Structure formats: C-alpha cells, structure tokens
Amino acid sequence: MASGKGRQAVTTPSSATDVAGDAYWPKQGTVGANIPRLDLLSASLSTDAAGLHAHIGVGSTSGLGITTQGAEAWMVQWWWHNALWYAKADATTSGMTCSAGQPQPLAYGSGGNAKGAIYFGAATTTCHVDAATNTLVIDVPLALVGSPATGETLHEVTAYSHLYDVPGQLMDQVPPAPP
C-alpha cells in the first residue's frame, strides 16, 4: 500500500488506507478466499523519542502471530538517503519475530546487478499486536534504520503482507499493493 503523496515526513504521522477483502490466496488459477489477518487496511509511520513506529492495520488479528505451518509476514518499507529500509514482522510456529534494517541485494546473472532483495537477517526489534484496533505495531530504534533526524523525509512508504510455505524462503505477496 503506497502513500497518497509518495513521501512522508519522519516527524508527521503518515498513513495510507486500502480496501477490505483483497487478501486472496492463491491469487492465480482458482482464486482462494480472503485471509483477514493478511488483509491490509491501513499503514502508517510515526516517530517519537523512543524511535520509529510502523502501524499496520489488518482485517482481523485473530490468529495473527503464530502459524502452524509455513509463515506469514507484514512489512513497511521506505527510501531514505538513497537507500531502502524496512521494518518487518514474521509470524512463525514459535510466535512473532520482528526486525528492521536494510534488505540485502540479491544478484544473479551477468553483471552482478541486484535483481531482488533478501528481507531476512536484519537486527531484531520489538513488536506487538493491538487486538482492540486490529493493528500490528513494530517499534524500531532509529539507529537500526540509519538514524533519520527530525524533519527528514522518508520516500515511497509502502506496506505489504506475505505468505510463504517455508520460513526464511521466498515470500509471496498476498494483497495487491497500489503503486
């Protein structure tokens, strides 16, 4: 889900919304049912003295945080100082694990240019589920994401939810993320 203006100030809470009911899985072939806990409804970034806070609103927090097989993930990413940064929450068989930092480029083929990114292995951070508002909150110390100063702008703030069969492997984006 992208912000409506394409850039958001660190000091100003920024947000975007998405329609309900579009987290279908599988997406190709016979389209499956909507998965409420992966259905993005809103996303925002804000800062305070404690750091950066990513808020991801979903259709339902019922069952969010632990999965019996495979894994699920929710992520907010943005550009700042010509670098891509992210905050991510992973639901696994042992509970919620959160991290933040820069994705690692994945290069293959000739030329060694990055063709993708790996969103695993970043520094861990804290997160929690606010069931009263159906929101996942990822709390990130500013040092984990390059230490943006008050008043600096984060660009192209975008949120995603993912489903994958094997934790630590290729993530499949579930709901569409508007440009």
Side-chain angles (χ1 to χ4, degrees):
M1 156 177 347
S3 68
K5 296 179 182 174
R7 47 175 67 185
Q8 302 296 327
V10 173
T11 56
T12 304
S14 57
S15 63
T17 59
D18 190 28
V19 297
D22 63 352
Y24 304 113
W25 191 259
K27 297 184 297 185
Q28 292 81 23
T30 302
V31 176
N34 179 58
I35 304 170
R37 69 183 173 277
L38 295 174
D39 190 8
L40 300 175
L41 300 181
S42 64
S44 66
L45 285 176
S46 63
T47 57
D48 61 18
L52 181 69
H53 309 281
H55 298 260
I56 303 170
V58 295
S60 173
T61 55
S62 178
L64 191 144
I66 296 180
T67 183
T68 57
Q69 62 184 19
E72 299 166 346
W74 301 263
M75 179 173 64
V76 174
Q77 72 175 22
W78 62 94
W79 285 91
W80 178 69
H81 280 212
N82 296 317
L84 186 62
W85 301 90
Y86 74 94
K88 183 170 73 109
D90 290 290
T92 69
T93 56
S94 59
M96 191 75 74
T97 303
C98 293
S99 59
Q102 288 187 280
Q104 300 303 309
L106 177 63
Y108 55 91
S110 62
N113 294 325
K115 306 292 184 187
I118 298 171
Y119 290 87
F120 297 102
T124 59
T125 190
T126 61
C127 60
H128 66 277
V129 174
D130 181 347
T133 61
N134 284 331
T135 304
L136 171 62
V137 181
I138 307 170
D139 299 310
V140 183
L142 293 176
L144 292 184
V145 291
S147 299
T150 298
E152 292 194 85
T153 302
L154 306 179
H155 300 271
E156 300 179 32
V157 178
T158 308
Y160 305 94
S161 65
H162 298 90
L163 180 68
Y164 43 104
D165 295 329
V166 180
Q169 300 298 316
L170 181 64
M171 300 183 301
D172 295 311
Q173 184 178 321
V174 177

